[in-house]
Amino acid sequence: MWRNLALFVIKNRKLLVGLLAAITVFMAWEARKVEMTYDFAQVVAPDDPDMVYFQQFKRQFGEDGNVLVLGMQDSSVYELGKFNQLRLLTDTLSRVEGVNGVLSVTRLPRLEKDTTNRTFRAVPIFHGPPASQAELDSLMRVVNEQQFYKGQLISPTTGATLLALTLDPKYLNSSRREAVMAEILGHAHQFEQDTKIRLHYAGLPYVRATMTTKVASEMKLFVALTIAMMALTLLMFFRTWSAVVFPLLIVLIVVIWCIGSMVLMGFKINLLTGLIPSIIIVIGIPNCTYLLSRYHYDYRKSGNQVLAMTRVVRKIGLVTLMNNTTTAIGFVVFCFTNIAILYQFGLVATINIYVAFLVSFILMPIIFTILPPPTAKQLDHLDAKPLIKLLEFFDYLVLERRRTVYLTTLALAVLAGVGVSKVRAVSYMVDDLPKDSSVNSDLKFFEQHFNGVMPLEIVVDTGRPKGLLKLKNLERIDRLENYLRTQPVLTSPVSVVTALKASNQAFYNGSPEFYRLPDNSEKNYIFSYLARSQNQPGAEGNLTSKLLRSFTDSTMREARISLKIADIGSQNLDTLLSNQIRPQIDKIFKGTDLTARLTGTTIIFTKGNEFLIGTLKSSLLHAFILVGLVVLILFRSFRTVFFALLPNFFTLLLTGGIMGYFGIPLKPSTALIFSIALGIDGDNSIHLLAKFRQEMAINGRRVRAAISTTLSEAGTSMIYTSIVLFLGFSVFAFSEFGGTKALGLLMSASLLITNFSNLILLPCLLVTFEHGADETTIDQSSIRHYDDNYQPEDDDLELDLGRMRKS
């Protein structure tokens, strides 16, 4: 079958090249529509109970992750000239399309009591630009008396101040986000230039925009670095530019198909899918390398280009397809999850791994049967002496020093086990960015001055409609909020309780000592004032109504407590919520109908990471099963499955040990490595086992002779492939994202380790446990496609070389 496929490709080269060119043009046209996204919520399954509740929360109370904050610590901002420039910045930002509102010191409202209409009115503290420094100082004293804003806009300890921009979710979740963020940052940078006051930026919109920009730039960088690295590697191996240009052209075609397929499937580029183009280049080049090296080998034997290429496709077509299948297994297991980013990553990668196989097996025979035949100098790589010496050393270890190999393996496994025990699962909202990045340094600023900016929400259910009108329920909520204020990683809460306290302060003419809940005698007055305020026309009524809608439901049954939290990491967050806040909630609400539920983007993100890590662990198990199934189908032997999986388990164990010793945490980006590594490492195992089985049949079932021949012939291509993959994945070490950098380093380490596992440990196992004299007859049909010499060369004489002459 594979010979006929080769003949079909060569004879129909013009048709196939035209077809591929047409598809590539179409995919390129689609690829230009690709968009970027960075959505934390994608990591949680849509039917997860916490996710379902979070979506319900957003429908009820609105978005919690759409606030962008700009902070500064410079006392000169309270000087008249710079304060008025801050006011100008605030007014300018409020007019940016996509900005729903800006909360700033310069435009703070305060509640005033209207005794005539028995309502509260929202009155701006600054009616216009202050005319003098004395007026500004006087108005700032009024600002500092507004207890509702204490710790929200001005730090009571350091004097730092911030602007909070509420962004329209429709802009945040579309391609218009970049334009909105660019305009906001442009105005902010102009303010910095005019005032010499440094601004700090934080909030999920800023984090997402920054990461999206970096993902886009790094995707381009990685593709460029990968191409450069592959070009140097191919030139070093084959010493001819044709062996560099055309394989790279092939993988670039596949990259275009890859991005086009994302658009056709409705996917956007995120932190994971942004890696796929580079991964496809790294995985696609070995297909070309393997085909080209075997083409050179057979051309040196036959001296005929068409005959040599036909033999290559016939002999290694199935093994290359199986190798691509095991590689794809490392990605296809992610398709079995209901996590959007994993599913998209796995599906796009799997499809395009097979696209890479298909395109290379069509274009490589066509191109290299048209080009001039390789020269003797270009064939020298087949006799590389350093490589031959290395393989001879491996052969010596396998045949003469198996005991040493087993003891070394055991010692390394024990050390790796200790390292694995040190691995900790922890993740941060922005931990993929380097510690010295502007995002992290700005985040530290807000954590230092305002305790944090990451959203955290608590919804208190009173159990019945109008339950929030009962003072005893409000007092319980107030007790909870007072406890929350004692936590150094939390900001002061904002809720209906703080709104009522502000109303009580306004009722007593703004006196700060009355910033408290009303008592029984005051409650009815305050509630009646608030009720009338909502019915007022204009800004006063809108503000009061909006405030209540933001923190209560329509039936006054549920209350929202909104906080911000420092990015303390998933472990510390879980400890805070489970061991401190939750027990305190149970204690305060004990004996009442009140219940509380924690939610918000921060909790969803943390849960998503934990869920993602658990899913990746199960994906690794599925990958082992699928790789084992492929081996079983090919070799029809459970013992061979054991031979294939044990060395790869050892590789993954050592990789995990490296993580533990170097303090690399287990998080989604690092947990991802193991399934991918298993799929790639499984290629070498299948390749070596296939060659060994074939040699067993040829050498009369003499195990030692079969192993020696297998190492000398299969070992070369395995080492070449490992070098290509090692260099390809090493480019990810240049990433600014910690997870991507870890992916590159750990994958590179895994590819080095797999040479020990598959070229030393696996052959040792075969020599120890395979006894040729005791073997039953091996089914030749399962191995004939791997045979270099299994089919007699006379079969090739049946080819009508005249029909395949170059046209």
Side-chain angles (χ1 to χ4, degrees), residues 75-87 105-106 125-126 128-144:
S75 59
S76 68
V77 76
Y78 300 113
E79 296 173 1
L80 183 62
K82 293 185 178 180
F83 185 85
N84 284 331
Q85 285 181 303
L86 178 62
R87 178 185 177 89
V105 172
T106 66
I125 297 175
F126 295 89
S132 66
Q133 186 66 45
E135 182 185 355
L136 172 59
D137 294 342
S138 175
L139 291 173
M140 283 304 302
R141 284 192 289 270
V142 177
V143 170
N144 291 325

PDB file of all heavy atoms in Angstrom, residues 75-87 105-106 125-126 128-144:
ATOM      1  N   SER A  75       3.093  62.945  47.081  1.00  0.00           N
ATOM      2  CA  SER A  75       2.352  63.995  47.796  1.00  0.00           C
ATOM      3  C   SER A  75       2.114  65.225  46.931  1.00  0.00           C
ATOM      4  O   SER A  75       1.195  66.006  47.197  1.00  0.00           O
ATOM      5  CB  SER A  75       3.102  64.398  49.066  1.00  0.00           C
ATOM      6  OG  SER A  75       4.411  64.868  48.746  1.00  0.00           O
ATOM      7  N   SER A  76       2.919  65.380  45.874  1.00  0.00           N
ATOM      8  CA  SER A  76       2.740  66.564  45.023  1.00  0.00           C
ATOM      9  C   SER A  76       1.431  66.532  44.263  1.00  0.00           C
ATOM     10  O   SER A  76       1.012  67.559  43.706  1.00  0.00           O
ATOM     11  CB  SER A  76       3.910  66.692  44.046  1.00  0.00           C
ATOM     12  OG  SER A  76       3.888  65.646  43.088  1.00  0.00           O
ATOM     13  N   VAL A  77       0.756  65.365  44.214  1.00  0.00           N
ATOM     14  CA  VAL A  77      -0.513  65.291  43.510  1.00  0.00           C
ATOM     15  C   VAL A  77      -1.570  66.132  44.216  1.00  0.00           C
ATOM     16  O   VAL A  77      -2.589  66.504  43.627  1.00  0.00           O
ATOM     17  CB  VAL A  77      -0.987  63.828  43.381  1.00  0.00           C
ATOM     18  CG1 VAL A  77      -1.541  63.299  44.702  1.00  0.00           C
ATOM     19  CG2 VAL A  77      -2.048  63.695  42.281  1.00  0.00           C
ATOM     20  N   TYR A  78      -1.336  66.463  45.505  1.00  0.00           N
ATOM     21  CA  TYR A  78      -2.284  67.288  46.252  1.00  0.00           C
ATOM     22  C   TYR A  78      -1.909  68.767  46.184  1.00  0.00           C
ATOM     23  O   TYR A  78      -2.477  69.586  46.908  1.00  0.00           O
ATOM     24  CB  TYR A  78      -2.381  66.812  47.697  1.00  0.00           C
ATOM     25  CG  TYR A  78      -2.837  65.375  47.797  1.00  0.00           C
ATOM     26  CD1 TYR A  78      -1.979  64.377  48.262  1.00  0.00           C
ATOM     27  CD2 TYR A  78      -4.109  65.008  47.382  1.00  0.00           C
ATOM     28  CE1 TYR A  78      -2.390  63.063  48.328  1.00  0.00           C
ATOM     29  CE2 TYR A  78      -4.538  63.688  47.441  1.00  0.00           C
ATOM     30  CZ  TYR A  78      -3.667  62.714  47.916  1.00  0.00           C
ATOM     31  OH  TYR A  78      -4.078  61.408  47.974  1.00  0.00           O
ATOM     32  N   GLU A  79      -0.949  69.083  45.347  1.00  0.00           N
ATOM     33  CA  GLU A  79      -0.676  70.486  45.038  1.00  0.00           C
ATOM     34  C   GLU A  79      -1.640  70.939  43.955  1.00  0.00           C
ATOM     35  O   GLU A  79      -2.027  70.143  43.081  1.00  0.00           O
ATOM     36  CB  GLU A  79       0.768  70.667  44.579  1.00  0.00           C
ATOM     37  CG  GLU A  79       1.792  70.324  45.648  1.00  0.00           C
ATOM     38  CD  GLU A  79       3.219  70.342  45.119  1.00  0.00           C
ATOM     39  OE1 GLU A  79       3.396  70.647  43.907  1.00  0.00           O
ATOM     40  OE2 GLU A  79       4.143  70.031  45.884  1.00  0.00           O
ATOM     41  N   LEU A  80      -2.014  72.165  43.974  1.00  0.00           N
ATOM     42  CA  LEU A  80      -3.116  72.644  43.146  1.00  0.00           C
ATOM     43  C   LEU A  80      -2.946  72.316  41.662  1.00  0.00           C
ATOM     44  O   LEU A  80      -3.861  71.772  41.031  1.00  0.00           O
ATOM     45  CB  LEU A  80      -3.275  74.159  43.321  1.00  0.00           C
ATOM     46  CG  LEU A  80      -4.446  74.798  42.570  1.00  0.00           C
ATOM     47  CD1 LEU A  80      -5.764  74.227  43.066  1.00  0.00           C
ATOM     48  CD2 LEU A  80      -4.412  76.314  42.726  1.00  0.00           C
ATOM     49  N   GLY A  81      -1.773  72.616  41.097  1.00  0.00           N
ATOM     50  CA  GLY A  81      -1.577  72.411  39.663  1.00  0.00           C
ATOM     51  C   GLY A  81      -1.691  70.951  39.265  1.00  0.00           C
ATOM     52  O   GLY A  81      -2.408  70.600  38.315  1.00  0.00           O
ATOM     53  N   LYS A  82      -1.016  70.085  39.991  1.00  0.00           N
ATOM     54  CA  LYS A  82      -1.041  68.659  39.637  1.00  0.00           C
ATOM     55  C   LYS A  82      -2.388  68.024  39.967  1.00  0.00           C
ATOM     56  O   LYS A  82      -2.834  67.096  39.276  1.00  0.00           O
ATOM     57  CB  LYS A  82       0.109  67.930  40.347  1.00  0.00           C
ATOM     58  CG  LYS A  82       1.482  68.357  39.839  1.00  0.00           C
ATOM     59  CD  LYS A  82       2.598  67.546  40.464  1.00  0.00           C
ATOM     60  CE  LYS A  82       3.958  67.974  39.891  1.00  0.00           C
ATOM     61  NZ  LYS A  82       5.071  67.202  40.465  1.00  0.00           N
ATOM     62  N   PHE A  83      -3.042  68.540  41.009  1.00  0.00           N
ATOM     63  CA  PHE A  83      -4.369  68.011  41.336  1.00  0.00           C
ATOM     64  C   PHE A  83      -5.347  68.310  40.198  1.00  0.00           C
ATOM     65  O   PHE A  83      -6.159  67.462  39.818  1.00  0.00           O
ATOM     66  CB  PHE A  83      -4.874  68.619  42.645  1.00  0.00           C
ATOM     67  CG  PHE A  83      -6.175  68.028  43.114  1.00  0.00           C
ATOM     68  CD1 PHE A  83      -6.202  66.873  43.866  1.00  0.00           C
ATOM     69  CD2 PHE A  83      -7.386  68.633  42.781  1.00  0.00           C
ATOM     70  CE1 PHE A  83      -7.401  66.327  44.290  1.00  0.00           C
ATOM     71  CE2 PHE A  83      -8.592  68.082  43.198  1.00  0.00           C
ATOM     72  CZ  PHE A  83      -8.595  66.926  43.958  1.00  0.00           C
ATOM     73  N   ASN A  84      -5.263  69.488  39.652  1.00  0.00           N
ATOM     74  CA  ASN A  84      -6.148  69.835  38.538  1.00  0.00           C
ATOM     75  C   ASN A  84      -5.812  69.026  37.284  1.00  0.00           C
ATOM     76  O   ASN A  84      -6.695  68.725  36.473  1.00  0.00           O
ATOM     77  CB  ASN A  84      -6.085  71.331  38.263  1.00  0.00           C
ATOM     78  CG  ASN A  84      -6.858  72.142  39.289  1.00  0.00           C
ATOM     79  OD1 ASN A  84      -7.835  71.652  39.856  1.00  0.00           O
ATOM     80  ND2 ASN A  84      -6.428  73.370  39.552  1.00  0.00           N
ATOM     81  N   GLN A  85      -4.537  68.651  37.123  1.00  0.00           N
ATOM     82  CA  GLN A  85      -4.186  67.761  36.009  1.00  0.00           C
ATOM     83  C   GLN A  85      -4.746  66.354  36.238  1.00  0.00           C
ATOM     84  O   GLN A  85      -5.149  65.680  35.296  1.00  0.00           O
ATOM     85  CB  GLN A  85      -2.665  67.722  35.842  1.00  0.00           C
ATOM     86  CG  GLN A  85      -2.108  68.994  35.196  1.00  0.00           C
ATOM     87  CD  GLN A  85      -0.606  68.935  35.011  1.00  0.00           C
ATOM     88  OE1 GLN A  85       0.142  68.746  35.973  1.00  0.00           O
ATOM     89  NE2 GLN A  85      -0.154  69.103  33.783  1.00  0.00           N
ATOM     90  N   LEU A  86      -4.770  65.940  37.514  1.00  0.00           N
ATOM     91  CA  LEU A  86      -5.405  64.658  37.846  1.00  0.00           C
ATOM     92  C   LEU A  86      -6.900  64.726  37.545  1.00  0.00           C
ATOM     93  O   LEU A  86      -7.477  63.753  37.044  1.00  0.00           O
ATOM     94  CB  LEU A  86      -5.161  64.318  39.313  1.00  0.00           C
ATOM     95  CG  LEU A  86      -5.804  63.014  39.826  1.00  0.00           C
ATOM     96  CD1 LEU A  86      -5.254  61.808  39.073  1.00  0.00           C
ATOM     97  CD2 LEU A  86      -5.594  62.861  41.325  1.00  0.00           C
ATOM     98  N   ARG A  87      -7.490  65.839  37.857  1.00  0.00           N
ATOM     99  CA  ARG A  87      -8.920  66.019  37.541  1.00  0.00           C
ATOM    100  C   ARG A  87      -9.139  65.949  36.029  1.00  0.00           C
ATOM    101  O   ARG A  87     -10.091  65.307  35.559  1.00  0.00           O
ATOM    102  CB  ARG A  87      -9.397  67.357  38.100  1.00  0.00           C
ATOM    103  CG  ARG A  87     -10.861  67.663  37.797  1.00  0.00           C
ATOM    104  CD  ARG A  87     -11.253  69.058  38.270  1.00  0.00           C
ATOM    105  NE  ARG A  87     -12.633  69.339  37.913  1.00  0.00           N
ATOM    106  CZ  ARG A  87     -13.681  69.041  38.684  1.00  0.00           C
ATOM    107  NH1 ARG A  87     -13.489  68.450  39.852  1.00  0.00           N
ATOM    108  NH2 ARG A  87     -14.909  69.326  38.292  1.00  0.00           N
ATOM    109  N   VAL A 105     -10.511  60.641  43.402  1.00  0.00           N
ATOM    110  CA  VAL A 105     -10.612  61.647  44.459  1.00  0.00           C
ATOM    111  C   VAL A 105     -11.203  62.940  43.910  1.00  0.00           C
ATOM    112  O   VAL A 105     -11.954  63.648  44.588  1.00  0.00           O
ATOM    113  CB  VAL A 105      -9.218  61.908  45.070  1.00  0.00           C
ATOM    114  CG1 VAL A 105      -9.261  63.086  46.027  1.00  0.00           C
ATOM    115  CG2 VAL A 105      -8.714  60.667  45.789  1.00  0.00           C
ATOM    116  N   THR A 106     -10.902  63.256  42.668  1.00  0.00           N
ATOM    117  CA  THR A 106     -11.306  64.548  42.101  1.00  0.00           C
ATOM    118  C   THR A 106     -12.792  64.640  41.802  1.00  0.00           C
ATOM    119  O   THR A 106     -13.295  65.740  41.548  1.00  0.00           O
ATOM    120  CB  THR A 106     -10.524  64.812  40.799  1.00  0.00           C
ATOM    121  OG1 THR A 106     -10.913  63.851  39.817  1.00  0.00           O
ATOM    122  CG2 THR A 106      -9.032  64.736  41.045  1.00  0.00           C
ATOM    123  N   ILE A 125     -18.097  66.490  45.868  1.00  0.00           N
ATOM    124  CA  ILE A 125     -17.274  67.252  46.812  1.00  0.00           C
ATOM    125  C   ILE A 125     -16.567  68.380  46.085  1.00  0.00           C
ATOM    126  O   ILE A 125     -16.469  69.506  46.590  1.00  0.00           O
ATOM    127  CB  ILE A 125     -16.262  66.316  47.508  1.00  0.00           C
ATOM    128  CG1 ILE A 125     -16.996  65.269  48.339  1.00  0.00           C
ATOM    129  CG2 ILE A 125     -15.295  67.110  48.388  1.00  0.00           C
ATOM    130  CD1 ILE A 125     -16.089  64.220  48.971  1.00  0.00           C
ATOM    131  N   PHE A 126     -16.102  68.098  44.870  1.00  0.00           N
ATOM    132  CA  PHE A 126     -15.444  69.121  44.037  1.00  0.00           C
ATOM    133  C   PHE A 126     -16.421  69.527  42.941  1.00  0.00           C
ATOM    134  O   PHE A 126     -16.669  68.776  42.007  1.00  0.00           O
ATOM    135  CB  PHE A 126     -14.155  68.572  43.428  1.00  0.00           C
ATOM    136  CG  PHE A 126     -13.090  68.233  44.424  1.00  0.00           C
ATOM    137  CD1 PHE A 126     -13.026  66.967  44.987  1.00  0.00           C
ATOM    138  CD2 PHE A 126     -12.150  69.175  44.816  1.00  0.00           C
ATOM    139  CE1 PHE A 126     -12.050  66.651  45.912  1.00  0.00           C
ATOM    140  CE2 PHE A 126     -11.174  68.866  45.740  1.00  0.00           C
ATOM    141  CZ  PHE A 126     -11.117  67.608  46.294  1.00  0.00           C
ATOM    142  N   GLY A 128     -15.960  71.948  40.920  1.00  0.00           N
ATOM    143  CA  GLY A 128     -15.154  72.425  39.812  1.00  0.00           C
ATOM    144  C   GLY A 128     -13.699  72.414  40.234  1.00  0.00           C
ATOM    145  O   GLY A 128     -13.370  72.027  41.361  1.00  0.00           O
ATOM    146  N   PRO A 129     -12.813  72.824  39.381  1.00  0.00           N
ATOM    147  CA  PRO A 129     -11.399  72.866  39.770  1.00  0.00           C
ATOM    148  C   PRO A 129     -11.200  73.819  40.948  1.00  0.00           C
ATOM    149  O   PRO A 129     -11.688  74.953  40.920  1.00  0.00           O
ATOM    150  CB  PRO A 129     -10.692  73.381  38.506  1.00  0.00           C
ATOM    151  CG  PRO A 129     -11.652  73.134  37.398  1.00  0.00           C
ATOM    152  CD  PRO A 129     -13.024  73.267  37.983  1.00  0.00           C
ATOM    153  N   PRO A 130     -10.491  73.378  42.004  1.00  0.00           N
ATOM    154  CA  PRO A 130     -10.224  74.291  43.126  1.00  0.00           C
ATOM    155  C   PRO A 130      -9.444  75.508  42.636  1.00  0.00           C
ATOM    156  O   PRO A 130      -8.526  75.404  41.813  1.00  0.00           O
ATOM    157  CB  PRO A 130      -9.381  73.431  44.082  1.00  0.00           C
ATOM    158  CG  PRO A 130      -9.688  72.025  43.704  1.00  0.00           C
ATOM    159  CD  PRO A 130      -9.950  72.034  42.234  1.00  0.00           C
ATOM    160  N   ALA A 131      -9.833  76.669  43.172  1.00  0.00           N
ATOM    161  CA  ALA A 131      -9.212  77.922  42.714  1.00  0.00           C
ATOM    162  C   ALA A 131      -7.935  78.250  43.457  1.00  0.00           C
ATOM    163  O   ALA A 131      -7.112  79.038  42.968  1.00  0.00           O
ATOM    164  CB  ALA A 131     -10.208  79.073  42.862  1.00  0.00           C
ATOM    165  N   SER A 132      -7.757  77.644  44.627  1.00  0.00           N
ATOM    166  CA  SER A 132      -6.571  77.946  45.434  1.00  0.00           C
ATOM    167  C   SER A 132      -6.160  76.705  46.207  1.00  0.00           C
ATOM    168  O   SER A 132      -6.937  75.763  46.372  1.00  0.00           O
ATOM    169  CB  SER A 132      -6.863  79.094  46.403  1.00  0.00           C
ATOM    170  OG  SER A 132      -7.840  78.680  47.354  1.00  0.00           O
ATOM    171  N   GLN A 133      -4.925  76.734  46.718  1.00  0.00           N
ATOM    172  CA  GLN A 133      -4.432  75.623  47.524  1.00  0.00           C
ATOM    173  C   GLN A 133      -5.236  75.502  48.817  1.00  0.00           C
ATOM    174  O   GLN A 133      -5.517  74.389  49.283  1.00  0.00           O
ATOM    175  CB  GLN A 133      -2.947  75.829  47.835  1.00  0.00           C
ATOM    176  CG  GLN A 133      -2.301  74.651  48.551  1.00  0.00           C
ATOM    177  CD  GLN A 133      -2.236  73.407  47.680  1.00  0.00           C
ATOM    178  OE1 GLN A 133      -1.864  73.480  46.518  1.00  0.00           O
ATOM    179  NE2 GLN A 133      -2.625  72.262  48.224  1.00  0.00           N
ATOM    180  N   ALA A 134      -5.631  76.631  49.366  1.00  0.00           N
ATOM    181  CA  ALA A 134      -6.426  76.598  50.601  1.00  0.00           C
ATOM    182  C   ALA A 134      -7.767  75.910  50.365  1.00  0.00           C
ATOM    183  O   ALA A 134      -8.237  75.119  51.198  1.00  0.00           O
ATOM    184  CB  ALA A 134      -6.628  78.022  51.119  1.00  0.00           C
ATOM    185  N   GLU A 135      -8.400  76.210  49.225  1.00  0.00           N
ATOM    186  CA  GLU A 135      -9.671  75.554  48.913  1.00  0.00           C
ATOM    187  C   GLU A 135      -9.474  74.055  48.714  1.00  0.00           C
ATOM    188  O   GLU A 135     -10.285  73.248  49.179  1.00  0.00           O
ATOM    189  CB  GLU A 135     -10.283  76.171  47.645  1.00  0.00           C
ATOM    190  CG  GLU A 135     -11.630  75.560  47.284  1.00  0.00           C
ATOM    191  CD  GLU A 135     -12.182  76.099  45.963  1.00  0.00           C
ATOM    192  OE1 GLU A 135     -11.559  77.024  45.387  1.00  0.00           O
ATOM    193  OE2 GLU A 135     -13.231  75.594  45.507  1.00  0.00           O
ATOM    194  N   LEU A 136      -8.398  73.675  48.028  1.00  0.00           N
ATOM    195  CA  LEU A 136      -8.104  72.252  47.824  1.00  0.00           C
ATOM    196  C   LEU A 136      -7.894  71.557  49.163  1.00  0.00           C
ATOM    197  O   LEU A 136      -8.442  70.470  49.399  1.00  0.00           O
ATOM    198  CB  LEU A 136      -6.867  72.099  46.933  1.00  0.00           C
ATOM    199  CG  LEU A 136      -6.321  70.669  46.771  1.00  0.00           C
ATOM    200  CD1 LEU A 136      -7.377  69.744  46.177  1.00  0.00           C
ATOM    201  CD2 LEU A 136      -5.069  70.680  45.895  1.00  0.00           C
ATOM    202  N   ASP A 137      -7.117  72.157  50.054  1.00  0.00           N
ATOM    203  CA  ASP A 137      -6.857  71.536  51.360  1.00  0.00           C
ATOM    204  C   ASP A 137      -8.149  71.373  52.141  1.00  0.00           C
ATOM    205  O   ASP A 137      -8.360  70.354  52.828  1.00  0.00           O
ATOM    206  CB  ASP A 137      -5.861  72.383  52.150  1.00  0.00           C
ATOM    207  CG  ASP A 137      -4.478  72.403  51.515  1.00  0.00           C
ATOM    208  OD1 ASP A 137      -4.208  71.504  50.689  1.00  0.00           O
ATOM    209  OD2 ASP A 137      -3.689  73.316  51.829  1.00  0.00           O
ATOM    210  N   SER A 138      -9.020  72.371  52.073  1.00  0.00           N
ATOM    211  CA  SER A 138     -10.291  72.306  52.784  1.00  0.00           C
ATOM    212  C   SER A 138     -11.163  71.177  52.248  1.00  0.00           C
ATOM    213  O   SER A 138     -11.760  70.402  53.014  1.00  0.00           O
ATOM    214  CB  SER A 138     -11.028  73.641  52.668  1.00  0.00           C
ATOM    215  OG  SER A 138     -12.306  73.570  53.256  1.00  0.00           O
ATOM    216  N   LEU A 139     -11.223  71.050  50.932  1.00  0.00           N
ATOM    217  CA  LEU A 139     -12.039  69.996  50.330  1.00  0.00           C
ATOM    218  C   LEU A 139     -11.441  68.608  50.585  1.00  0.00           C
ATOM    219  O   LEU A 139     -12.180  67.624  50.724  1.00  0.00           O
ATOM    220  CB  LEU A 139     -12.186  70.244  48.827  1.00  0.00           C
ATOM    221  CG  LEU A 139     -13.038  71.472  48.451  1.00  0.00           C
ATOM    222  CD1 LEU A 139     -12.972  71.722  46.946  1.00  0.00           C
ATOM    223  CD2 LEU A 139     -14.494  71.282  48.889  1.00  0.00           C
ATOM    224  N   MET A 140     -10.118  68.501  50.643  1.00  0.00           N
ATOM    225  CA  MET A 140      -9.493  67.215  50.935  1.00  0.00           C
ATOM    226  C   MET A 140      -9.821  66.760  52.363  1.00  0.00           C
ATOM    227  O   MET A 140      -9.913  65.558  52.628  1.00  0.00           O
ATOM    228  CB  MET A 140      -7.979  67.289  50.736  1.00  0.00           C
ATOM    229  CG  MET A 140      -7.544  67.261  49.281  1.00  0.00           C
ATOM    230  SD  MET A 140      -8.162  65.802  48.376  1.00  0.00           S
ATOM    231  CE  MET A 140      -7.466  64.473  49.355  1.00  0.00           C
ATOM    232  N   ARG A 141     -10.015  67.724  53.289  1.00  0.00           N
ATOM    233  CA  ARG A 141     -10.432  67.336  54.630  1.00  0.00           C
ATOM    234  C   ARG A 141     -11.833  66.720  54.599  1.00  0.00           C
ATOM    235  O   ARG A 141     -12.119  65.767  55.324  1.00  0.00           O
ATOM    236  CB  ARG A 141     -10.390  68.554  55.559  1.00  0.00           C
ATOM    237  CG  ARG A 141      -8.987  68.945  55.998  1.00  0.00           C
ATOM    238  CD  ARG A 141      -8.999  69.956  57.128  1.00  0.00           C
ATOM    239  NE  ARG A 141      -9.455  71.268  56.672  1.00  0.00           N
ATOM    240  CZ  ARG A 141      -8.646  72.194  56.203  1.00  0.00           C
ATOM    241  NH1 ARG A 141      -7.333  71.966  56.099  1.00  0.00           N
ATOM    242  NH2 ARG A 141      -9.126  73.370  55.814  1.00  0.00           N
ATOM    243  N   VAL A 142     -12.673  67.247  53.742  1.00  0.00           N
ATOM    244  CA  VAL A 142     -14.010  66.667  53.567  1.00  0.00           C
ATOM    245  C   VAL A 142     -13.902  65.258  52.992  1.00  0.00           C
ATOM    246  O   VAL A 142     -14.613  64.336  53.410  1.00  0.00           O
ATOM    247  CB  VAL A 142     -14.879  67.563  52.659  1.00  0.00           C
ATOM    248  CG1 VAL A 142     -16.244  66.912  52.418  1.00  0.00           C
ATOM    249  CG2 VAL A 142     -15.039  68.940  53.264  1.00  0.00           C
ATOM    250  N   VAL A 143     -13.013  65.091  52.015  1.00  0.00           N
ATOM    251  CA  VAL A 143     -12.795  63.759  51.428  1.00  0.00           C
ATOM    252  C   VAL A 143     -12.386  62.764  52.504  1.00  0.00           C
ATOM    253  O   VAL A 143     -12.912  61.640  52.588  1.00  0.00           O
ATOM    254  CB  VAL A 143     -11.718  63.831  50.324  1.00  0.00           C
ATOM    255  CG1 VAL A 143     -11.304  62.417  49.893  1.00  0.00           C
ATOM    256  CG2 VAL A 143     -12.216  64.616  49.129  1.00  0.00           C
ATOM    257  N   ASN A 144     -11.462  63.155  53.363  1.00  0.00           N
ATOM    258  CA  ASN A 144     -10.952  62.250  54.391  1.00  0.00           C
ATOM    259  C   ASN A 144     -11.984  61.933  55.466  1.00  0.00           C
ATOM    260  O   ASN A 144     -11.839  60.963  56.202  1.00  0.00           O
ATOM    261  CB  ASN A 144      -9.697  62.850  55.033  1.00  0.00           C
ATOM    262  CG  ASN A 144      -8.525  62.876  54.067  1.00  0.00           C
ATOM    263  OD1 ASN A 144      -8.365  61.976  53.250  1.00  0.00           O
ATOM    264  ND2 ASN A 144      -7.699  63.928  54.141  1.00  0.00           N
TER     265      ASN A 144
END
